[in-house]
Amino acid sequence: MSEINKKQVVVINWEDACIHGRDQYSADDPELKLAYGFSAGVLVKETKKSISLCLDMFNFGDKNYRTVQTYPKSGIKSIKRFKFKKEKG
């Protein structure tokens, strides 16, 4: 079976550190909080500690990826997985 036929599209909901782009003058500033986001991509690699997703996958040897991002699983709130198969033709 081709590597591409085993791939999954994954959508994650995560929280992580947030960089605040201005001076904060009070600990009560409502902008002092974690960043929450959603990310989606083709699953490249998954370990106990992290998950790596790519924006694009090419069928040149089934292992060519572009724009890979790795997320710590400690910040992932949910993971949705969608399997797909390569179309023939």
Side-chain angles (χ1 to χ4, degrees), residues 58-83:
F58 302 94
N59 195 20
F60 308 118
D62 291 340
K63 293 185 180 179
N64 289 285
Y65 308 108
R66 178 168 57 192
T67 315
V68 177
Q69 293 183 305
T70 300
Y71 301 87
K73 281 191 170 176
S74 61
I76 293 176
K77 299 301 178 191
S78 66
I79 300 175
K80 302 279 186 192
R81 299 170 189 271
F82 304 90
K83 292 184 180 180

Side-chain angles (χ1 to χ4, degrees), residues 30-86:
E31 291 188 25
L32 296 178
K33 57 187 176 185
L34 294 173
Y36 294 89
F38 285 90
S39 297
V42 178
L43 178 63
V44 174
K45 182 178 180 180
E46 185 170 5
T47 68
K48 289 181 179 181
K49 295 178 77 173
S50 67
I51 189 166
S52 298
L53 309 178
C54 73
L55 177 63
D56 298 311
M57 179 180 167
F58 302 94
N59 195 20
F60 308 118
D62 291 340
K63 293 185 180 179
N64 289 285
Y65 308 108
R66 178 168 57 192
T67 315
V68 177
Q69 293 183 305
T70 300
Y71 301 87
K73 281 191 170 176
S74 61
I76 293 176
K77 299 301 178 191
S78 66
I79 300 175
K80 302 279 186 192
R81 299 170 189 271
F82 304 90
K83 292 184 180 180
F84 69 93
K85 288 190 175 186
K86 179 181 172 184

